[in-house]
């Protein structure tokens, strides 16, 4: 009888340990592993907060909720940053295209008066009739001023891009401005 009572007591102790101590610890361990793997929606069975397992479970629930909130905030920030990066990349590509187009146009515009200067210089070297030299010198002056104006415009564009252009808000002579 004593052996039977001891056996029943041992089985009862085993059942108590298995269902009231070991099983909740294993469940908390499973939840912690799920959280570690990134499953922030894992279900946690409520356990009484009167014992240590319950306190551990409550802390785990709080951790799960905080991690879930942080994950959602991080996803939101990541999506926002990705959209800003895409937008900035598109803006930079447009700026680069505009810059390339500007440089192409300016190169062509500079080349035209430069060819004129070279041609007029060659004609002046070969010219013996002094009557035409005045016309050639006038063309040379016009082409030189056009080239200087283009180069000044390019330099002004560079200053605008760098934010270093200073505007003069003083009065102007309208006749000279219109010319």
């Amino acid at each position: 009888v004593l052996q039977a009572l001891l056996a029943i007591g041992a089985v009862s102790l085993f059942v108590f340990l298995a269902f009231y101590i070991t099983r909740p610890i294993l469940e908390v361990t499973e939840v912690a592993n799920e959280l570690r793997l990134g499953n922030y929606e894992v279900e946690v069975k409520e356990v009484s907060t009167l014992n240590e397992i319950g306190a551990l479970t409550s802390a785990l629930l709080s951790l799960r909720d905080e991690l879930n909130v942080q994950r959602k905030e991080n996803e939101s920030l990541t999506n926002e940053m990705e959209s800003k990066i895409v937008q900035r990349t598109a803006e930079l590509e447009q700026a680069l295209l505009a810059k390339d187009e500007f440089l192409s146009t300016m190169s062509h515009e500079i080349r035209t008066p430069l060819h004129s200067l070279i041609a007029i210089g060659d004609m002046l070297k070969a010219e013996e009739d002094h009557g035409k030299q005045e016309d050639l010198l006038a063309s040379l002056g016009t082409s030189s001023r056009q080239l200087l104006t283009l180069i000044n415009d390019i330099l002004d564009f560079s200053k605008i891009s760098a934010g270093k252009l200073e505007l003069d808000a003083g009065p102007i002579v309208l006749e000279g401005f219109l010319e």
Side-chain angles (χ1 to χ4, degrees):
V1 171
L2 185 60
Q3 284 182 341
L5 287 175
L6 285 175
I8 292 173
V11 169
S12 298
L13 181 62
F14 173 76
V15 169
F16 175 77
L17 289 175
F19 286 104
Y20 293 105
I21 295 178
T22 308
R23 193 185 77 214
I25 290 174
L26 291 175
E27 288 175 358
V28 168
T29 304
E30 287 178 25
V31 169
N33 281 331
E34 287 292 319
L35 288 173
R36 184 180 57 84
L37 294 173
N39 181 7
Y40 301 116
E41 303 297 329
V42 66
E43 291 295 322
V44 179
K45 294 179 183 176
E46 287 291 333
V47 179
S48 171
T49 57
L50 298 177
N51 58 29
E52 291 82 6
I53 300 292
L56 181 61
T57 304
S58 294
L60 200 56
L61 283 171
S62 296
L63 177 64
R64 179 199 64 185
D65 294 342
E66 288 176 21
L67 287 174
N68 205 15
V69 168
Q70 287 294 324
R71 180 186 57 84
K72 288 178 182 176
E73 287 177 3
N74 287 344
E75 284 178 0
S76 174
L77 287 173
T78 301
N79 291 339
E80 184 179 325
M81 293 304 291
E82 285 176 357
S83 68
K84 284 183 180 180
I85 288 171
V86 168
Q87 180 184 1
R88 299 285 182 189
T89 302
E91 289 172 359
L92 286 174
E93 287 174 356
Q94 282 182 330
L96 286 173
L97 288 174
K99 182 180 177 183
D100 289 344
E101 184 178 328
F102 173 79
L103 289 176
S104 174
T105 302
M106 280 295 119
S107 296
H108 178 71
E109 293 295 325
I110 290 173
R111 196 177 306 137
T112 302
L114 191 57
H115 282 299
S116 296
L117 291 173
I118 293 170
I120 292 170
D122 290 343
M123 289 165 135
L124 283 173
K125 281 187 205 173
E127 184 64 40
E128 296 196 17
D129 178 28
H130 296 291
K132 281 188 166 183
Q133 279 188 350
E134 287 182 28
D135 291 337
L136 291 174
L137 286 173
S139 295
L140 183 66
T142 303
S143 294
S144 298
R145 283 188 293 281
Q146 286 176 342
L147 185 59
L148 181 61
T149 300
L150 285 171
I151 290 172
N152 285 334
D153 289 346
I154 291 171
L155 291 174
D156 286 344
F157 178 76
S158 296
K159 285 180 183 178
I160 289 170
S161 295
K164 296 182 180 179
L165 183 69
E166 295 179 16
L167 298 177
D168 182 16
I172 61 168
V173 177
L174 192 55
E175 183 179 334
F177 175 73
L178 292 176
E179 285 179 14

